[in-house]
């Protein structure tokens, strides 16, 4: 019985649509990504942020940022990319980057489930356990 419920919950997770606006209303912290979907070993995450993140890279993982609300810039060591609503950017593995937002933004991330969002950098912003919303 319990097993059946667990299986039902497991399957329903992938069979229900997700409303981004509703999900973004469920949290307000900055720099704390929340998982909203999972497929093929990848996580779909939502995050809000404002200000400067830490410089970091991901040795093994590419990371996708889709701007849902607002605009921010992705700084690289040799250039900067401005991201506006409806635009996305893929940061290749091994490339140092730092997101910076003058005003609060809402962003969707797509990346491998095990990724550490600050890479090997330990910072007060590092989140070790990523939660679902
Ligand atoms: Ni990153």
């Amino acid at each position: 019985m319990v097993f059946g419920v667990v299986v039902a919950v497991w399957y329903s997770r992938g069979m229900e649509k997700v409303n981004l606006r509703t999900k973004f209303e469920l949290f307000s912290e900055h720099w704390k990504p929340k998982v909203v979907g999972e497929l093929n070993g990848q996580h779909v995450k939502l995050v809000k942020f404002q200000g400067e993140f830490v410089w970091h890279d991901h040795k093994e993982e590419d990371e996708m940022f889709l701007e849902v609300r607002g605009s921010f810039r992705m700084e690289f060591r040799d250039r900067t990319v401005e991201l506006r609503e409806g635009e996305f950017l893929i940061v290749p593995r091994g490339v140092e980057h730092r997101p910076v937002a003058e005003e609060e933004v809402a962003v969707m991330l797509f990346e491998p489930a095990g990724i550490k969002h600050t890479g090997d950098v330990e910072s007060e912003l590092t989140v070790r356990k990523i939660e679902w919303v």
Side-chain angles (χ1 to χ4, degrees):
M1 178 59 190
V2 172
F3 180 71
V5 171
V6 170
V7 169
V9 169
W10 176 258
Y11 276 108
S12 69
R13 204 175 239 184
M15 299 292 285
E16 287 176 10
K17 67 180 182 180
V18 172
N19 183 293
L20 291 180
R21 181 177 304 187
T22 304
K23 289 292 189 187
F24 274 118
E25 285 171 0
L26 296 178
F27 65 98
S28 56
E29 318 102 282
H30 292 158
W31 307 113
K32 294 217 164 53
K34 311 291 182 193
V35 182
V36 290
E38 184 169 25
L39 68 162
N40 304 321
Q42 307 275 315
H43 272 166
V44 180
K45 297 175 190 164
L46 303 181
V47 63
K48 290 179 178 175
F49 56 78
Q50 184 170 12
E52 299 176 350
F53 200 49
V54 292
W55 281 104
H56 67 282
D57 66 351
H58 310 278
K59 298 283 182 273
E60 308 289 338
E61 303 97 346
D62 306 320
E63 192 175 29
M64 173 175 160
F65 294 79
L66 168 65
E67 181 66 74
V68 176
R69 191 174 64 230
S71 62
F72 76 100
R73 65 178 188 271
M74 185 64 81
E75 296 184 352
F76 298 101
R77 290 300 187 183
D78 60 348
R79 66 198 182 100
T80 295
V81 176
E82 297 280 347
L83 270 189
R84 297 184 195 84
E85 252 173 55
E87 297 180 332
F88 75 83
L89 171 70
I90 296 171
V91 178
R93 62 195 66 186
V95 175
E96 268 194 297
H97 56 285
R98 177 174 76 158
V100 179
E102 304 298 339
E103 295 179 5
E104 186 186 78
V105 290
V107 174
M108 193 170 96
L109 307 170
F110 187 61
E111 57 200 16
I115 196 171
K116 292 195 281 184
H117 71 144
T118 53
D120 290 333
V121 176
E122 286 294 326
S123 147
E124 59 196 14
L125 296 173
T126 302
V127 177
R128 285 169 189 79
K129 176 103 175 67
I130 309 281
E131 296 173 350
W132 282 77
V133 288

